[in-house]
Amino acid sequence: MIQVIAFDADDTLWHNETYYRDAEANFRRMLASYHDEAWIQERLFATEMRNLGHFGYGIKSFVLSMIETAIELTEGQVTGREIQAIVDLGREMLAHPVEPLPHVLETLATLRGQYRLMVITKGDLLDQEAKLARSGLDAFFSGIEVVSEKDEFVYRAILARHGIAPSEFLMVGNSLKSDILPVVAMGAHAVFVPYATTWIHEHVEDVDPSRFTTLEHVGLLPGWLSAQG
Amino acid sequence: MIQVIAFDADDTLWHNETYYRDAEANFRRMLASYHDEAWIQERLFATEMRNLGHFGYGIKSFVLSMIETAIELTEGQVTGREIQAIVDLGREMLAHPVEPLPHVLETLATLRGQYRLMVITKGDLLDQEAKLARSGLDAFFSGIEVVSEKDEFVYRAILARHGIAPSEFLMVGNSLKSDILPVVAMGAHAVFVPYATTWIHEHVEDVDPSRFTTLEHVGLLPGWLSAQG
Protein backbone atom coordinates (compact mmCIF):
# COMPACT_ATOMS: atom_id res chain seq x y z
CA MET A 1 0.00 0.00 0.00
CA ILE A 2 2.78 2.45 0.96
CA GLN A 3 4.61 3.53 -2.18
CA VAL A 4 6.30 6.78 -1.24
CA ILE A 5 8.38 7.33 1.89
CA ALA A 6 9.36 10.86 2.83
CA PHE A 7 12.00 11.50 5.47
CA ASP A 8 12.50 14.55 7.56
CA ALA A 9 16.14 15.65 7.30
CA ASP A 10 17.58 17.25 10.45
CA ASP A 11 17.82 14.73 13.31
CA THR A 12 16.13 12.05 11.21
CA LEU A 13 18.73 11.52 8.48
CA TRP A 14 21.64 13.30 10.13
CA HIS A 15 22.68 15.02 13.36
CA ASN A 16 21.60 18.63 13.68
CA GLU A 17 20.32 19.55 17.17
CA THR A 18 23.62 18.51 18.66
CA TYR A 19 25.41 21.30 16.75
CA TYR A 20 22.92 23.85 18.05
CA ARG A 21 23.44 22.51 21.58
CA ASP A 22 27.23 22.76 21.14
CA ALA A 23 26.97 26.32 19.84
CA GLU A 24 24.69 27.23 22.75
CA ALA A 25 27.23 25.82 25.21
CA ASN A 26 29.94 27.96 23.61
CA PHE A 27 27.64 30.96 23.73
CA ARG A 28 26.88 30.46 27.43
CA ARG A 29 30.59 30.16 28.20
CA MET A 30 31.24 33.35 26.27
CA LEU A 31 28.78 35.26 28.50
CA ALA A 32 29.56 33.37 31.74
CA SER A 33 31.11 36.45 33.35
CA TYR A 34 27.85 38.39 32.93
CA HIS A 35 25.11 35.90 33.92
CA ASP A 36 24.52 32.35 35.06
CA GLU A 37 24.03 29.76 32.35
CA ALA A 38 20.38 28.98 32.99
CA TRP A 39 19.42 32.65 32.59
CA ILE A 40 21.48 33.00 29.40
CA GLN A 41 19.74 29.95 27.97
CA GLU A 42 16.33 31.24 28.96
CA ARG A 43 16.91 34.64 27.37
CA LEU A 44 18.30 33.06 24.20
CA PHE A 45 15.21 30.90 23.87
CA ALA A 46 12.95 33.92 24.41
CA THR A 47 14.84 35.83 21.69
CA GLU A 48 14.57 32.90 19.29
CA MET A 49 10.81 32.68 19.84
CA ARG A 50 10.39 36.41 19.34
CA ASN A 51 12.44 36.27 16.12
CA LEU A 52 10.90 33.15 14.59
CA GLY A 53 8.21 35.05 12.73
CA HIS A 54 10.70 37.59 11.37
CA PHE A 55 13.75 35.49 10.65
CA GLY A 56 12.40 31.94 10.27
CA TYR A 57 14.31 28.76 11.05
CA GLY A 58 17.92 27.88 10.47
CA ILE A 59 21.43 28.77 11.43
CA LYS A 60 21.40 32.40 10.27
CA SER A 61 18.34 33.13 12.40
CA PHE A 62 19.97 31.38 15.32
CA VAL A 63 23.10 33.51 14.93
CA LEU A 64 21.07 36.73 14.83
CA SER A 65 19.23 35.63 17.99
CA MET A 66 22.51 34.88 19.77
CA ILE A 67 23.83 38.32 18.79
CA GLU A 68 20.72 40.08 20.08
CA THR A 69 20.79 38.07 23.29
CA ALA A 70 24.45 38.94 23.84
CA ILE A 71 23.73 42.65 23.40
CA GLU A 72 20.75 42.45 25.75
CA LEU A 73 22.50 40.44 28.46
CA THR A 74 25.62 42.65 28.45
CA GLU A 75 23.58 45.85 28.25
CA GLY A 76 25.44 46.69 25.06
CA GLN A 77 28.90 46.01 26.56
CA VAL A 78 29.58 42.97 24.35
CA THR A 79 32.68 43.61 22.23
CA GLY A 80 33.10 43.44 18.48
CA ARG A 81 35.45 40.52 18.99
CA GLU A 82 32.77 38.59 20.90
CA ILE A 83 30.14 39.33 18.24
CA GLN A 84 32.57 38.11 15.60
CA ALA A 85 33.04 34.91 17.63
CA ILE A 86 29.25 34.40 17.56
CA VAL A 87 29.12 34.87 13.77
CA ASP A 88 32.00 32.40 13.50
CA LEU A 89 30.01 29.86 15.53
CA GLY A 90 27.38 30.05 12.81
CA ARG A 91 29.89 29.73 10.02
CA GLU A 92 31.33 26.61 11.72
CA MET A 93 27.84 25.12 12.03
CA LEU A 94 27.23 25.69 8.33
CA ALA A 95 30.56 24.12 7.40
CA HIS A 96 30.14 21.12 9.68
CA PRO A 97 30.33 17.69 8.08
CA VAL A 98 26.85 16.24 7.70
CA GLU A 99 26.97 12.85 9.42
CA PRO A 100 24.16 10.39 8.71
CA LEU A 101 22.64 8.97 11.87
CA PRO A 102 23.26 5.28 12.66
CA HIS A 103 21.31 2.84 10.43
CA VAL A 104 20.34 5.56 7.91
CA LEU A 105 22.64 4.50 5.09
CA GLU A 106 21.72 0.79 5.15
CA THR A 107 18.02 1.56 5.59
CA LEU A 108 17.94 3.83 2.54
CA ALA A 109 19.92 1.26 0.56
CA THR A 110 17.37 -1.41 1.51
CA LEU A 111 14.31 0.71 0.69
CA ARG A 112 15.46 2.43 -2.50
CA GLY A 113 14.41 -0.36 -4.87
CA GLN A 114 10.98 -0.88 -3.35
CA TYR A 115 9.78 2.66 -2.61
CA ARG A 116 10.04 6.15 -4.01
CA LEU A 117 12.05 8.07 -1.40
CA MET A 118 11.93 11.80 -0.83
CA VAL A 119 12.99 14.39 1.72
CA ILE A 120 10.55 16.91 3.21
CA THR A 121 12.20 19.39 5.52
CA LYS A 122 11.78 22.79 7.06
CA GLY A 123 14.58 25.27 7.12
CA ASP A 124 16.68 27.41 4.91
CA LEU A 125 16.64 26.32 1.27
CA LEU A 126 20.36 26.76 0.61
CA ASP A 127 21.31 25.10 3.92
CA GLN A 128 19.18 22.04 3.34
CA GLU A 129 20.16 21.48 -0.27
CA ALA A 130 23.83 21.83 0.67
CA LYS A 131 23.44 19.45 3.60
CA LEU A 132 21.77 16.81 1.48
CA ALA A 133 24.61 17.04 -1.04
CA ARG A 134 27.28 16.92 1.66
CA SER A 135 25.60 13.99 3.44
CA GLY A 136 26.24 11.81 0.40
CA LEU A 137 22.64 10.61 0.68
CA ASP A 138 21.21 12.63 -2.21
CA ALA A 139 21.39 9.76 -4.70
CA PHE A 140 18.78 7.82 -2.69
CA PHE A 141 16.10 10.47 -3.10
CA SER A 142 13.96 11.41 -6.06
CA GLY A 143 13.45 14.90 -4.65
CA ILE A 144 13.79 17.32 -1.76
CA GLU A 145 11.03 19.66 -0.63
CA VAL A 146 12.16 22.53 1.56
CA VAL A 147 9.12 24.16 3.14
CA SER A 148 8.70 27.00 5.60
CA GLU A 149 6.09 25.18 7.71
CA LYS A 150 5.09 21.54 7.93
CA ASP A 151 1.36 21.58 8.40
CA GLU A 152 -1.45 19.58 6.89
CA PHE A 153 -1.98 22.15 4.13
CA VAL A 154 1.65 21.96 3.04
CA TYR A 155 1.69 18.15 3.06
CA ARG A 156 -1.53 18.06 1.01
CA ALA A 157 0.00 20.44 -1.54
CA ILE A 158 3.15 18.33 -1.88
CA LEU A 159 1.17 15.11 -2.33
CA ALA A 160 -1.14 16.75 -4.87
CA ARG A 161 1.79 18.10 -6.85
CA HIS A 162 3.42 14.68 -7.02
CA GLY A 163 0.15 12.82 -7.58
CA ILE A 164 0.44 10.77 -4.38
CA ALA A 165 -2.62 9.53 -2.47
CA PRO A 166 -2.43 9.88 1.33
CA SER A 167 -2.89 6.10 1.72
CA GLU A 168 0.30 5.55 -0.31
CA PHE A 169 2.37 8.00 1.70
CA LEU A 170 4.53 7.44 4.77
CA MET A 171 6.32 10.25 6.61
CA VAL A 172 9.26 9.38 8.86
CA GLY A 173 10.58 11.96 11.28
CA ASN A 174 11.60 13.00 14.77
CA SER A 175 9.05 15.77 15.35
CA LEU A 176 5.53 14.95 16.49
CA LYS A 177 4.40 18.45 15.63
CA SER A 178 5.89 18.65 12.14
CA ASP A 179 6.28 15.08 10.89
CA ILE A 180 3.57 13.06 12.58
CA LEU A 181 0.43 14.97 13.58
CA PRO A 182 -0.30 16.79 10.28
CA VAL A 183 0.38 13.59 8.36
CA VAL A 184 -1.97 11.37 10.36
CA ALA A 185 -4.54 14.18 10.24
CA MET A 186 -4.79 13.80 6.46
CA GLY A 187 -5.04 10.02 6.62
CA ALA A 188 -1.48 9.16 5.63
CA HIS A 189 1.01 7.00 7.53
CA ALA A 190 3.61 8.25 9.98
CA VAL A 191 6.52 6.70 11.82
CA PHE A 192 7.99 8.64 14.70
CA VAL A 193 11.70 8.11 15.35
CA PRO A 194 12.60 10.26 18.37
CA TYR A 195 15.97 11.96 18.48
CA ALA A 196 17.95 12.06 21.70
CA THR A 197 17.21 15.74 22.26
CA THR A 198 14.29 17.66 20.87
CA TRP A 199 14.09 21.42 20.68
CA ILE A 200 11.66 22.67 23.30
CA HIS A 201 9.63 24.56 20.66
CA GLU A 202 8.79 21.21 19.05
CA HIS A 203 7.28 19.61 22.14
CA VAL A 204 3.65 18.64 21.81
CA GLU A 205 1.33 17.52 24.56
CA ASP A 206 -1.63 15.17 24.48
CA VAL A 207 -0.83 13.05 21.48
CA ASP A 208 -2.79 9.87 20.87
CA PRO A 209 -0.06 7.25 20.37
CA SER A 210 -2.45 4.79 18.71
CA ARG A 211 -2.52 6.88 15.52
CA PHE A 212 1.13 6.38 14.52
CA THR A 213 4.05 4.05 15.08
CA THR A 214 7.13 4.85 17.14
CA LEU A 215 10.40 3.14 16.30
CA GLU A 216 13.54 3.39 18.38
CA HIS A 217 15.76 3.96 15.35
CA VAL A 218 15.34 4.16 11.59
CA GLY A 219 17.01 0.77 11.10
CA LEU A 220 13.77 -0.83 12.28
CA LEU A 221 11.81 0.69 9.39
CA PRO A 222 12.27 -2.07 6.75
CA GLY A 223 11.08 -4.71 9.22
CA TRP A 224 8.06 -2.61 10.17
CA LEU A 225 7.20 -2.06 6.50
CA SER A 226 7.40 -5.82 5.81
CA ALA A 227 5.08 -6.49 8.74
CA GLN A 228 2.48 -4.14 7.18
CA GLY A 229 2.07 -6.70 4.38
CA MET B 1 2.85 28.93 -28.33
CA ILE B 2 3.72 30.43 -24.94
CA GLN B 3 1.46 28.89 -22.30
CA VAL B 4 3.30 29.44 -19.04
CA ILE B 5 4.79 32.73 -17.88
CA ALA B 6 7.10 32.75 -14.89
CA PHE B 7 8.05 36.00 -13.21
CA ASP B 8 11.07 36.73 -11.12
CA ALA B 9 9.95 38.32 -7.85
CA ASP B 10 12.36 40.89 -6.39
CA ASP B 11 12.64 43.98 -8.61
CA THR B 12 10.38 42.42 -11.22
CA LEU B 13 7.09 42.17 -9.31
CA TRP B 14 7.99 44.46 -6.43
CA HIS B 15 10.69 46.81 -5.16
CA ASN B 16 13.57 45.12 -3.38
CA GLU B 17 17.00 46.53 -4.28
CA THR B 18 15.92 49.94 -3.13
CA TYR B 19 15.54 48.65 0.46
CA TYR B 20 19.04 47.19 0.35
CA ARG B 21 20.36 50.51 -0.99
CA ASP B 22 18.54 52.38 1.80
CA ALA B 23 19.93 50.01 4.45
CA GLU B 24 23.43 50.43 3.00
CA ALA B 25 23.10 54.21 3.18
CA ASN B 26 22.12 53.93 6.85
CA PHE B 27 25.02 51.56 7.44
CA ARG B 28 27.52 53.93 5.82
CA ARG B 29 26.21 56.82 7.91
CA MET B 30 26.57 54.69 11.03
CA LEU B 31 30.26 54.13 10.31
CA ALA B 32 30.96 57.56 8.82
CA SER B 33 33.21 58.58 11.73
CA TYR B 34 35.51 55.62 11.03
CA HIS B 35 35.90 55.59 7.24
CA ASP B 36 34.79 57.30 4.06
CA GLU B 37 31.66 56.01 2.42
CA ALA B 38 33.22 54.52 -0.70
CA TRP B 39 35.57 52.39 1.37
CA ILE B 40 32.75 51.19 3.65
CA GLN B 41 30.72 50.21 0.58
CA GLU B 42 33.68 48.42 -0.97
CA ARG B 43 34.39 46.42 2.19
CA LEU B 44 30.71 45.54 2.62
CA PHE B 45 30.55 44.22 -0.92
CA ALA B 46 33.72 42.18 -0.38
CA THR B 47 32.23 40.68 2.80
CA GLU B 48 28.99 39.85 1.00
CA MET B 49 30.88 38.08 -1.78
CA ARG B 50 32.96 36.13 0.74
CA ASN B 51 29.83 35.10 2.66
CA LEU B 52 27.62 34.21 -0.30
CA GLY B 53 28.70 30.57 -0.37
CA HIS B 54 28.21 30.17 3.39
CA PHE B 55 25.13 32.25 4.05
CA GLY B 56 23.36 32.43 0.68
CA TYR B 57 21.12 35.26 -0.48
CA GLY B 58 18.62 37.31 1.43
CA ILE B 59 18.24 39.80 4.21
CA LYS B 60 19.67 37.66 7.03
CA SER B 61 22.87 37.08 5.08
CA PHE B 62 23.04 40.78 4.32
CA VAL B 63 22.67 41.62 8.02
CA LEU B 64 25.43 39.19 9.00
CA SER B 65 27.69 40.74 6.35
CA MET B 66 26.97 44.26 7.63
CA ILE B 67 27.81 43.11 11.18
CA GLU B 68 31.09 41.54 10.10
CA THR B 69 32.01 44.61 8.05
CA ALA B 70 31.26 46.90 10.99
CA ILE B 71 33.53 44.82 13.26
CA GLU B 72 36.30 44.79 10.66
CA LEU B 73 36.13 48.49 9.84
CA THR B 74 36.06 49.56 13.50
CA GLU B 75 38.74 47.06 14.49
CA GLY B 76 36.30 45.59 16.96
CA GLN B 77 35.35 48.97 18.50
CA VAL B 78 31.76 48.88 17.21
CA THR B 79 29.36 49.01 20.16
CA GLY B 80 26.59 46.62 21.07
CA ARG B 81 24.14 49.43 20.45
CA GLU B 82 25.43 49.87 16.89
CA ILE B 83 25.27 46.14 16.21
CA GLN B 84 21.69 46.13 17.48
CA ALA B 85 20.92 49.00 15.10
CA ILE B 86 22.24 46.87 12.23
CA VAL B 87 20.06 43.90 13.24
CA ASP B 88 17.13 46.32 13.44
CA LEU B 89 17.84 47.50 9.88
CA GLY B 90 17.31 43.88 8.83
CA ARG B 91 14.14 43.53 10.83
CA GLU B 92 12.77 46.69 9.21
CA MET B 93 13.63 45.37 5.76
CA LEU B 94 11.76 42.14 6.52
CA ALA B 95 8.73 44.01 7.83
CA HIS B 96 8.61 46.48 4.93
CA PRO B 97 5.40 46.63 2.93
CA VAL B 98 5.81 44.80 -0.37
CA GLU B 99 4.86 47.31 -3.06
CA PRO B 100 4.14 45.99 -6.54
CA LEU B 101 6.07 47.86 -9.22
CA PRO B 102 4.11 50.09 -11.61
CA HIS B 103 2.01 48.18 -14.20
CA VAL B 104 2.41 44.84 -12.39
CA LEU B 105 -1.12 44.55 -11.04
CA GLU B 106 -2.92 45.34 -14.31
CA THR B 107 -0.51 43.18 -16.33
CA LEU B 108 -1.13 40.13 -14.15
CA ALA B 109 -4.87 40.80 -14.25
CA THR B 110 -4.72 40.89 -18.05
CA LEU B 111 -2.64 37.76 -18.43
CA ARG B 112 -4.21 35.52 -15.79
CA GLY B 113 -6.99 34.16 -17.99
CA GLN B 114 -4.78 33.38 -20.98
CA TYR B 115 -1.64 31.97 -19.40
CA ARG B 116 -0.57 29.89 -16.44
CA LEU B 117 1.40 32.28 -14.24
CA MET B 118 4.08 31.31 -11.76
CA VAL B 119 6.88 32.86 -9.72
CA ILE B 120 10.46 31.59 -9.85
CA THR B 121 12.76 33.36 -7.44
CA LYS B 122 16.01 33.01 -5.61
CA GLY B 123 16.29 33.84 -1.97
CA ASP B 124 15.18 32.73 1.40
CA LEU B 125 12.12 30.49 1.34
CA LEU B 126 10.29 32.10 4.26
CA ASP B 127 11.10 35.63 3.05
CA GLN B 128 9.82 35.03 -0.45
CA GLU B 129 6.63 33.21 0.53
CA ALA B 130 5.85 35.94 3.04
CA LYS B 131 6.53 38.68 0.49
CA LEU B 132 4.28 37.08 -2.09
CA ALA B 133 1.49 36.88 0.49
CA ARG B 134 2.03 40.47 1.64
CA SER B 135 2.19 41.78 -1.94
CA GLY B 136 -1.42 40.73 -2.45
CA LEU B 137 -0.37 39.21 -5.79
CA ASP B 138 -0.43 35.56 -4.70
CA ALA B 139 -3.90 34.89 -6.12
CA PHE B 140 -2.58 35.47 -9.66
CA PHE B 141 -0.07 32.63 -9.47
CA SER B 142 -0.51 28.88 -9.63
CA GLY B 143 2.74 28.36 -7.74
CA ILE B 144 5.96 29.79 -6.40
CA GLU B 145 9.35 28.12 -6.78
CA VAL B 146 12.04 29.37 -4.43
CA VAL B 147 15.42 28.11 -5.61
CA SER B 148 18.95 28.61 -4.36
CA GLU B 149 20.42 29.21 -7.82
CA LYS B 150 18.81 30.07 -11.14
CA ASP B 151 20.83 28.17 -13.70
CA GLU B 152 19.84 26.12 -16.71
CA PHE B 153 19.81 22.91 -14.65
CA VAL B 154 17.36 24.37 -12.14
CA TYR B 155 15.04 25.75 -14.85
CA ARG B 156 15.07 22.39 -16.65
CA ALA B 157 14.13 20.62 -13.41
CA ILE B 158 11.22 23.00 -12.74
CA LEU B 159 9.86 22.63 -16.28
CA ALA B 160 10.20 18.84 -16.15
CA ARG B 161 8.40 18.68 -12.80
CA HIS B 162 5.50 20.74 -14.13
CA GLY B 163 5.45 19.03 -17.54
CA ILE B 164 6.20 22.24 -19.45
CA ALA B 165 8.09 22.23 -22.76
CA PRO B 166 10.74 24.97 -23.17
CA SER B 167 8.94 26.31 -26.27
CA GLU B 168 5.82 26.94 -24.13
CA PHE B 169 7.73 28.76 -21.40
CA LEU B 170 8.47 32.46 -20.96
CA MET B 171 10.57 33.87 -18.14
CA VAL B 172 10.25 37.56 -17.24
CA GLY B 173 12.84 39.17 -15.01
CA ASN B 174 15.32 41.93 -14.30
CA SER B 175 18.49 39.85 -14.13
CA LEU B 176 20.31 38.85 -17.31
CA LYS B 177 22.36 36.31 -15.37
CA SER B 178 19.50 34.62 -13.53
CA ASP B 179 16.36 35.22 -15.56
CA ILE B 180 17.46 35.52 -19.18
CA LEU B 181 20.67 33.69 -20.12
CA PRO B 182 19.91 30.24 -18.62
CA VAL B 183 16.38 30.40 -20.07
CA VAL B 184 17.41 31.22 -23.63
CA ALA B 185 20.18 28.60 -23.30
CA MET B 186 17.56 25.88 -22.95
CA GLY B 187 15.50 27.16 -25.88
CA ALA B 188 12.76 28.88 -23.90
CA HIS B 189 11.59 32.49 -24.19
CA ALA B 190 12.82 35.37 -22.05
CA VAL B 191 11.81 38.98 -21.58
CA PHE B 192 14.25 41.27 -19.80
CA VAL B 193 12.71 44.12 -17.84
CA PRO B 194 15.62 46.08 -16.33
CA TYR B 195 15.25 47.58 -12.88
CA ALA B 196 16.56 51.05 -12.14
CA THR B 197 19.48 49.70 -10.11
CA THR B 198 21.00 46.27 -10.39
CA TRP B 199 23.22 44.67 -7.79
CA ILE B 200 26.81 44.66 -9.04
CA HIS B 201 27.08 40.89 -8.52
CA GLU B 202 24.36 40.42 -11.13
CA HIS B 203 26.12 42.32 -13.91
CA VAL B 204 26.90 40.24 -16.96
CA GLU B 205 29.10 41.23 -19.87
CA ASP B 206 28.96 40.24 -23.50
CA VAL B 207 25.33 39.31 -23.90
CA ASP B 208 23.89 38.82 -27.37
CA PRO B 209 20.76 41.03 -27.32
CA SER B 210 19.22 39.27 -30.33
CA ARG B 211 18.39 36.19 -28.24
CA PHE B 212 15.82 37.81 -25.96
CA THR B 213 13.50 40.79 -25.78
CA THR B 214 13.97 43.84 -23.58
CA LEU B 215 10.93 45.78 -22.45
CA GLU B 216 11.06 49.06 -20.60
CA HIS B 217 8.41 48.00 -18.11
CA VAL B 218 6.23 44.98 -17.47
CA GLY B 219 3.12 46.80 -18.67
CA LEU B 220 4.37 46.30 -22.25
CA LEU B 221 4.24 42.52 -21.87
CA PRO B 222 0.62 41.86 -23.00
CA GLY B 223 1.21 43.84 -26.20
CA TRP B 224 4.43 41.99 -26.92
CA LEU B 225 2.70 38.65 -26.33
CA SER B 226 -0.10 39.59 -28.73
CA ALA B 227 2.49 40.55 -31.36
CA GLN B 228 4.01 37.06 -31.10
CA GLY B 229 0.83 35.71 -32.70
Side-chain angles (χ1 to χ4, degrees):
Chain A
M1 191 148 96
I2 292 168
Q3 293 180 18
V4 180
I5 306 177
F7 291 82
D8 171 55
D10 292 337
D11 301 320
T12 297
L13 295 177
W14 50 68
H15 291 287
N16 178 63
E17 277 281 303
T18 184
Y19 302 127
Y20 281 84
R21 297 298 88 82
D22 290 351
E24 283 172 0
N26 278 318
F27 178 73
R28 292 193 303 266
R29 265 195 300 279
M30 203 180 286
L31 299 180
S33 62
Y34 296 94
H35 291 281
D36 73 72
E37 298 216 349
W39 180 239
I40 295 168
Q41 190 66 42
E42 189 178 322
R43 294 314 304 157
L44 175 58
F45 181 70
T47 309
E48 285 184 82
M49 287 305 97
R50 193 177 67 227
N51 283 338
L52 201 53
H54 305 280
F55 293 144
Y57 295 95
I59 291 172
K60 288 177 285 187
S61 304
F62 178 61
V63 170
L64 290 171
S65 290
M66 286 195 290
I67 289 171
E68 289 203 308
T69 306
I71 294 167
E72 177 198 324
L73 289 178
T74 65
E75 292 172 353
Q77 300 305 301
V78 63
T79 65
R81 193 175 300 266
E82 288 167 321
I83 298 280
Q84 184 62 56
I86 294 171
V87 177
D88 290 339
L89 285 177
R91 198 178 275 109
E92 282 162 31
M93 290 173 77
L94 285 166
H96 212 287
V98 183
E99 297 171 61
L101 283 163
H103 310 289
V104 163
L105 198 62
E106 55 272 35
T107 300
L108 295 176
T110 301
L111 299 176
R112 70 184 309 183
Q114 302 158 260
Y115 301 92
R116 182 165 148 211
L117 306 181
M118 54 195 289
V119 175
I120 302 179
T121 176
K122 272 191 308 202
D124 183 273
L125 187 68
L126 186 83
D127 283 8
Q128 295 295 14
E129 289 180 349
K131 283 201 276 192
L132 184 59
R134 278 157 49 215
S135 73
L137 301 175
D138 47 339
F140 290 114
F141 297 103
S142 66
I144 177 169
E145 299 276 349
V146 183
V147 296
S148 53
E149 251 336 304
K150 277 170 147 179
D151 55 25
E152 190 180 338
F153 177 81
V154 166
Y155 281 108
R156 282 191 186 278
I158 292 172
L159 266 61
R161 196 163 67 240
H162 291 275
I164 303 166
S167 61
E168 302 166 345
F169 179 78
L170 168 65
M171 183 72 203
V172 180
N174 74 303
S175 166
L176 288 172
K177 176 166 175 277
S178 301
D179 302 315
I180 307 304
L181 298 187
V183 171
V184 300
M186 68 169 177
H189 308 273
V191 165
F192 177 48
V193 183
Y195 186 69
T197 64
T198 293
W199 194 34
I200 191 168
H201 176 62
E202 295 282 339
H203 284 282
V204 173
E205 305 297 328
D206 299 322
V207 177
D208 175 359
S210 71
R211 299 184 61 202
F212 58 90
T213 301
T214 302
L215 298 177
E216 197 186 333
H217 60 76
V218 80
L220 301 172
L221 189 59
W224 179 81
L225 283 161
S226 300
Q228 304 310 297
Chain B
M1 192 147 97
I2 292 168
Q3 295 181 17
V4 180
I5 306 177
F7 291 81
D8 172 56
D10 292 336
D11 301 318
T12 297
L13 295 177
W14 50 67
H15 289 287
N16 179 62
E17 278 281 303
T18 185
Y19 303 128
Y20 281 85
R21 296 299 87 84
D22 289 351
E24 284 172 357
N26 278 318
F27 178 73
R28 291 193 304 267
R29 265 195 298 280
M30 203 180 286
L31 298 180
S33 62
Y34 295 95
H35 291 281
D36 72 72
E37 298 216 348
W39 179 240
I40 294 168
Q41 191 65 42
E42 188 178 322
R43 294 314 304 158
L44 175 59
F45 182 69
T47 308
E48 285 185 82
M49 288 302 98
R50 194 178 65 226
N51 282 339
L52 200 55
H54 305 279
F55 293 142
Y57 295 94
I59 291 172
K60 288 178 285 185
S61 305
F62 177 62
V63 170
L64 290 171
S65 290
M66 284 195 290
I67 290 171
E68 288 203 308
T69 305
I71 294 168
E72 177 198 323
L73 289 179
T74 64
E75 293 173 352
Q77 300 306 301
V78 63
T79 66
R81 194 176 298 267
E82 288 166 321
I83 297 281
Q84 183 62 55
I86 294 171
V87 177
D88 290 340
L89 284 178
R91 197 178 278 106
E92 281 161 33
M93 289 173 76
L94 286 165
H96 213 286
V98 183
E99 296 171 62
L101 283 163
H103 311 287
V104 163
L105 198 63
E106 55 273 34
T107 300
L108 295 176
T110 302
L111 299 177
R112 72 186 306 183
Q114 303 158 259
Y115 301 92
R116 183 165 149 212
L117 306 181
M118 53 195 288
V119 175
I120 303 180
T121 175
K122 271 192 308 201
D124 183 274
L125 187 68
L126 187 82
D127 283 7
Q128 295 294 15
E129 288 179 350
K131 282 199 278 192
L132 185 60
R134 278 157 50 216
S135 72
L137 301 175
D138 47 339
F140 291 113
F141 298 102
S142 66
I144 176 171
E145 299 276 346
V146 184
V147 296
S148 53
E149 251 337 305
K150 277 171 148 180
D151 55 24
E152 190 181 338
F153 177 82
V154 166
Y155 280 108
R156 282 192 186 277
I158 292 171
L159 267 61
R161 195 163 68 241
H162 292 275
I164 304 165
S167 61
E168 302 166 346
F169 180 78
L170 168 65
M171 183 73 204
V172 179
N174 73 306
S175 166
L176 288 172
K177 177 167 174 276
S178 301
D179 302 316
I180 308 303
L181 298 187
V183 172
V184 300
M186 67 169 178
H189 308 272
V191 165
F192 177 49
V193 183
Y195 187 69
T197 64
T198 292
W199 194 33
I200 191 169
H201 176 63
E202 295 282 338
H203 283 283
V204 173
E205 304 297 329
D206 298 324
V207 177
D208 175 359
S210 71
R211 298 183 63 200
F212 57 90
T213 301
T214 301
L215 297 178
E216 197 187 333
H217 61 75
V218 79
L220 302 172
L221 191 59
W224 178 82
L225 283 161
S226 301
Q228 303 310 297

